[in-house]
Amino acid sequence: MSSPLPRDFYRQPTLTVARALLGKTLIRRFDDGVTATVRIVETEAYTTDDPACHAYKGQTARNRSMFGPPGHAYVYLIYGMYWCLNAVTAEEGTAEAALIRAVEPVENAARMWRNYVGEAVSDAALSDDVDMAARDDKRIGAGPGRLTKALAIARALDGADLTNAESRLFIAEGKEIAEEDVVTTTRIGITRAADFPWRFYVRSSRWVSRR
DNA sequence: TAGACGATAGCCT
DNA sequence: GGCTATCGTCTAA
């Protein structure tokens, strides 16, 4: 298994990190020790002087992780139903992050699929056939609330160290994404600073949440 | 302590 | 395209 990206990766400007995360590998180790691996294909940047950023008006109990050191996870609940995963950037004390909006399955799509649809399916039923079918089910990766459900990411992972291979969630090197395969657009679902072109996605990926 | 409002997704017309 | 479930968080009082 590949080793985690160093903390210095997250010390680059947040827009640079958001772009650079495209193609990177996200590894999730579940409570039972089983892992699932995905590739990041869509991100958004949020900075400290950005009106759309949760930390724009200062530190609160919810956004505390964003004020911590770079290379950790910021996980929060949105609309009372969905968890969203961010990679914290910038030095400790400066609250910036990159939201991970979409991923494509690389390894163990079957487990992600079961996580998504619920616990009705037993481990024994997670066959290769299920895995093949899951690799085409965009619900397990195309969308910030979907990927966290499929990867069982919730508040318990808020603050997780993304630079530690022992962590239950970390990010490693992946596939290089060519500049011509990167699309830059405005961010999704926000009302403030809605015109900032701070969203990035992989044009050739079928797992992008919205075109 | 009440009220407004989300960095969404799924279902409806 | 529109509607809304669902609830934690923040603000104002």
Side-chain angles (χ1 to χ4, degrees):
Chain A
M1 185 171 295
S2 43
S3 54
L5 296 173
R7 202 167 307 285
D8 278 348
F9 173 82
Y10 302 95
R11 290 192 166 100
Q12 302 174 88
T14 299
L15 284 162
T16 301
V17 176
R19 157 66 182 87
L21 279 172
L22 297 180
K24 295 293 188 287
T25 306
L26 178 69
I27 296 108
R28 165 76 166 116
R29 183 171 15 260
F30 301 110
D31 290 346
D32 61 2
V34 176
T35 62
T37 304
V38 299
R39 184 176 347 274
I40 298 168
V41 296
E42 180 181 344
T43 62
E44 285 180 359
Y46 289 86
T47 71
T48 188
D49 53 357
D50 161 23
C53 182
H54 287 167
Y56 184 61
K57 292 180 178 175
Q59 185 171 347
T60 65
R62 175 176 69 160
N63 66 28
R64 184 168 46 86
S65 294
M66 249 198 294
F67 285 83
H72 289 256
Y74 166 46
V75 179
Y76 68 90
L77 182 69
I78 188 65
Y79 298 114
M81 281 174 279
Y82 304 105
W83 295 96
C84 287
L85 169 67
N86 296 251
V88 173
T89 60
E91 287 303 329
E92 184 164 5
T94 302
E96 310 204 346
L99 169 69
I100 296 172
R101 285 193 54 91
V103 299
E104 48 186 49
V106 173
E107 173 261 328
N108 208 352
R111 175 62 174 268
M112 292 172 64
W113 178 79
R114 189 185 70 173
N115 288 343
Y116 195 86
V117 300
E119 296 303 314
V121 184
S122 71
D123 280 312
L126 291 183
S127 63
D128 288 345
D129 287 346
V130 172
D131 199 72
M132 285 301 289
R135 282 168 186 282
D136 271 324
D137 190 339
K138 302 300 179 295
R139 293 180 300 174
I140 67 172
R146 287 169 161 181
L147 71 94
T148 52
K149 188 170 182 184
L151 292 172
I153 292 169
R155 174 166 298 147
L157 287 173
D158 183 36
D161 189 355
L162 301 174
T163 70
N164 183 352
E166 305 302 308
S167 183
R168 289 192 291 169
L169 186 67
F170 66 93
I171 298 173
E173 208 41 82
K175 187 172 80 175
E176 201 60 37
I177 305 297
E179 241 5 271
E180 57 267 28
D181 200 20
V182 176
V183 178
T184 304
T185 68
T186 52
R187 296 173 292 183
I188 306 281
I190 55 171
T191 54
R192 290 163 302 203
D195 58 328
F196 288 17
W198 286 5
R199 170 173 175 248
F200 306 92
Y201 69 84
V202 178
R203 191 193 312 269
S204 61
S205 175
R206 294 153 52 236
W207 293 76
V208 170
S209 68
R210 288 199 223 174
R211 299 280 159 182

